[in-house]
């Protein structure tokens, strides 16, 4: 009676991909239940093969294969083992036990054997067998992890190893493969090694002295004392640090001197060679020449022994006195055990530091600059004082020139004029005197280029003249000579105005006030005094002078310079007329009016340059 036999759609597309889904309804739209079969039917289906109408049964795809080197990568079985090795050349041991570790690599069934290294064992230890597949028998079989277990003997290349234990991973792996792991055994130790680790019983030395027994007991055992040899009683003597060695094997003593670097002594380390040193001699004839003969036992009553040496004690060895201030640890243990001495506090022999004497700088002797002379007091090989290279490069060829007059009670020095040059590169000063004919004074270089200190400065803290100290009318003291600044170069004014921020305002204003009258003359001449009319006036005055008797031109110039004390180039009317009357210069009313009309001002008249042209 079923009329619909269609099947539910199980194939679909989603996001552009085809996929399969379970049917929601049965054939014809019947409802599907989760489990419609009984348990017996389900069991029959599990045991009964499926019978298909078309084709053979499709078998599922096999599981993904994983190779052994991937599944067992970095998985290693570790066993603790030991083997017995015969010793045929030793009288103290017949065999030795050597402990090893056996590693089995599951990824390629290879094995290696490693022996842990023991310090100072004298054996070649480390990797005893490299990693490879180990043959099991002559038939070509190899050892497998199934052949390994705790408590078995494993023979590899003729050597039998006893496996006594394994790590936790090895035990878990073997049990997971169905192998019953035997209980661990105790690792056997080497009997000779255990015997060496036991404390050695000290032998009781006999009371009677036995040189051979003493040599066997105390060979290579030396007492070391640190001492000071005081040699200050001799000429050029000093305290010499030394080391005293006392050899217990034969009771000999050796003294070595400790040299320091650059101590000025010859590098001979041995001060006294190793020998027995006598302490007390037997009374003998003083005339016997024993100084050139060797000392025998019957001549010595007592030799030096260990009881004669101690910290803080002074001993005399072959005429030299040594003070013992310390000893090493072995010496302390020897005296503590044999003589019961417990106080080994070292004595401080270090010299107390000398008080530092302050360096006294001698007074300046006047030769050179103080900084250069001071270098002779600071080092054996003096070096030139450091210069400011940046300042020298910035102010190269920059010189400030001033005209100065010598302040002196000598009348001949009043009219002397000097040129003072101040070099900005290194703050040095040079003075030059222009030569004047028939003056009786040889001109030329008055002071070479050098630094000049201010009055009141000390050689320890010298204060030198600077460019800001030079003002018109100021006094400059140069090595006891006083100079007064009367004039300056125009470059000085231009430099001070360009660098006004680096100089005091009083210095700049002093130079400006000095050059102000000259600027006024130049402005007056350039504005209201035409050059052609000035030349005509000079020609007219020259004609008047030719009609007069000839006069001395040099005296004429010197008189005007002498009256112009300020050097401004100005003279008032009264002084001008007085000079003209003295030298019989015509001063007619017409010429005076022309001169006053051409160049007069309220305060005076610029006549120096004017009369220089007239006299020429």
């Amino acid at each position: 009676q079923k009329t619909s036999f269609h099947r539910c759609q199980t194939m679909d597309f989603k996001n552009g991909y085809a996929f399969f889904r379970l049917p929601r309804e049965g054939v014809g739209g019947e409802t599907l239940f989760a489990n419609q079969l009984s348990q017996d039917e389900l069991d029959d289906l599990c045991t009964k093969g499926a019978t298909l109408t078309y084709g053979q049964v499709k078998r599922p795809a096999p599981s993904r294969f994983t190779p052994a080197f991937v599944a067992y990568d970095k998985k290693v079985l570790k066993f603790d083992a030991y083997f017995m090795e015969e010793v045929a050349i030793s009288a103290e041991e017949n065999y030795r036990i050597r402990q090893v570790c056996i590693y089995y690599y599951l990824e390629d069934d290879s094995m290696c054997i490693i022996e842990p290294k023991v310090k100072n064992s004298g054996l070649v230890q480390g990797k005893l067998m490299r990693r490879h597949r180990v043959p099991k028998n002559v038939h070509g079989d190899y050892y497998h992890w199934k052949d390994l277990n705790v408590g078995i003997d494993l023979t590899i290349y003729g050597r039998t190893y006893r496996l006594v234990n394994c790590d936790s991973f090895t035990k878990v792996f073997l049990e997971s493969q169905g192998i019953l792991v035997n209980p661990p055994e105790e690792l056997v130790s080497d009997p000779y090694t255990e015997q060496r680790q036991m404390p050695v019983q000290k032998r009781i030395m006999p009371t009677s002295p036995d040189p051979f027994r003493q040599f066997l007991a105390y060979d290579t055992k030396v007492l070391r004392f640190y001492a000071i040899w005081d040699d200050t009683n001799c000429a050029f003597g000093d305290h010499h640090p030394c080391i005293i060695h006392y050899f217990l094997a034969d009771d000999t003593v050796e003294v070595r001197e400790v040299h320091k670097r650059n101590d000025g002594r010859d590098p001979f380390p041995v001060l006294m060679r190793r020998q027995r040193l006598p302490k007390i001699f037997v009374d003998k004839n003083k005339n016997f020449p024993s100084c050139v003969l060797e000392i025998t036992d019957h001549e010595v009553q007592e030799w030096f022994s260990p009881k004669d040496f101690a910290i803080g004690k002074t001993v005399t060895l072959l005429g030299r006195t040594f003070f013992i201030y310390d000893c090493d640890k072995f010496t302390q243990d020897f005296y503590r055990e044999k003589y019961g001495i417990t106080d080994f506090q070292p004595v401080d022999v270090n010299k107390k530091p000398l008080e530092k004497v302050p360096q006294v700088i001698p007074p300046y002797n006047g030769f050179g600059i103080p900084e250069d002379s001071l270098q002779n007091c600071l080092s054996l090989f003096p070096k030139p004082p450091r210069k400011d290279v940046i300042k020298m490069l910035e102010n190269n060829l920059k010189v400030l020139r001033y005209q100065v007059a010598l302040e002196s009670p000598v009348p001949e020095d009043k009219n002397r004029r000097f040129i003072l040059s101040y070099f900005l590169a290194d703050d040095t000063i040079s003075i030059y005197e222009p030569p004047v004919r028939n003056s009786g004074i040889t001109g030329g270089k008055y002071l070479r280029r050098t630094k000049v200190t201010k009055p009141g400065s000390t050689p320890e803290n010298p204060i030198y003249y600077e460019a800001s100290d030079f003002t018109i009318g100021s006094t400059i003291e140069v090595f006891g000579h006083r100079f007064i600044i009367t004039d300056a170069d125009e470059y000085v004014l231009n430099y001070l105005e360009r660098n006004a921020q680096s100089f005091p305002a009083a210095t700049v204003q002093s130079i400006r006030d000095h050059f102000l009258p000259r600027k006024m003359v130049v402005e007056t001449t350039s504005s209201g005094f035409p050059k052609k009319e000035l030349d005509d006036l000079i020609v007219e005055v020259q004609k008047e002078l030719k009609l007069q008797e000839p006069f001395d031109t040099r005296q004429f110039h010197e008189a005007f310079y002498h009256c112009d004390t300020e050097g401004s180039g100005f003279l008032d009317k009264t002084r001008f007329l007085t000079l003209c009357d003295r030298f019989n210069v015509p001063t007619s009313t017409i010429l005076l009016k022309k001169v006053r009309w051409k160049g007069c001002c309220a305060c005076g008249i610029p006549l120096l340059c004017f009369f220089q042209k007239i006299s020429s």
Side-chain angles (χ1 to χ4, degrees), residues 75-100:
K75 294 183 178 181
V76 184
L77 305 181
K78 178 186 176 184
F79 294 90
D80 296 333
Y82 68 89
F83 68 94
M84 183 183 300
E85 183 182 25
E86 293 185 0
V87 180
I89 59 176
S90 177
E92 297 181 358
E93 55 178 347
N94 298 326
Y95 67 93
R96 65 170 61 98
I97 301 297
R98 301 177 65 175
Q99 300 175 0
V100 297

Side-chain angles (χ1 to χ4, degrees), residues 416-429:
R416 297 177 66 179
R417 296 294 182 268
F418 301 86
I419 303 300
L420 186 146
S421 301
Y422 182 84
F423 298 87
L424 295 171
D426 53 357
D427 299 330
T428 56
I429 295 175

Side-chain angles (χ1 to χ4, degrees), residues 187-239:
L187 189 62
V188 180
S189 301
D190 184 26
Y192 180 74
T193 304
E194 293 182 352
Q195 180 183 359
R196 291 292 302 272
Q197 293 177 355
M198 295 177 60
V200 180
Q201 296 182 358
K202 297 182 180 180
R203 299 180 181 179
I204 301 175
M205 301 301 298
T207 56
S208 60
D210 187 356
F212 183 69
R213 186 180 295 274
Q214 180 182 357
F215 172 78
L216 295 178
Y218 294 109
D219 186 26
T220 69
K221 295 182 180 181
V222 183
L223 305 181
R224 176 179 294 181
F225 302 92
Y226 301 97
I228 291 291
W229 171 30
D230 189 0
D231 191 28
T232 55
N233 296 330
C234 301
F236 309 105
D238 197 3
H239 291 84

Side-chain angles (χ1 to χ4, degrees), residues 107 109 140 151 172 205 234 246 258 267 301 307 317 358 373 397 413 415 433 452 459 474 558 606:
E107 56 181 338
D109 298 329
V172 172
M205 301 301 298
C234 301
Y246 188 92
V258 179
Q301 183 177 354
K307 63 181 179 180
L317 306 178
S373 301
L397 302 179
D413 295 338
N415 295 328
E433 183 179 7
V452 180
S474 62
E558 290 180 357

Side-chain angles (χ1 to χ4, degrees), residues 28-64:
E30 295 180 356
T31 304
L32 291 178
F33 298 97
N35 191 1
Q36 296 180 353
L37 301 177
S38 62
Q39 186 64 34
D40 297 336
E41 293 175 346
L42 292 175
D43 294 340
D44 294 340
L45 290 176
C46 292
T47 56
K48 189 181 295 182
T51 304
L52 300 180
T53 306
Y54 304 100
Q56 297 180 356
V57 179
K58 295 183 179 180
R59 296 182 179 181
S63 60
R64 186 175 180 180

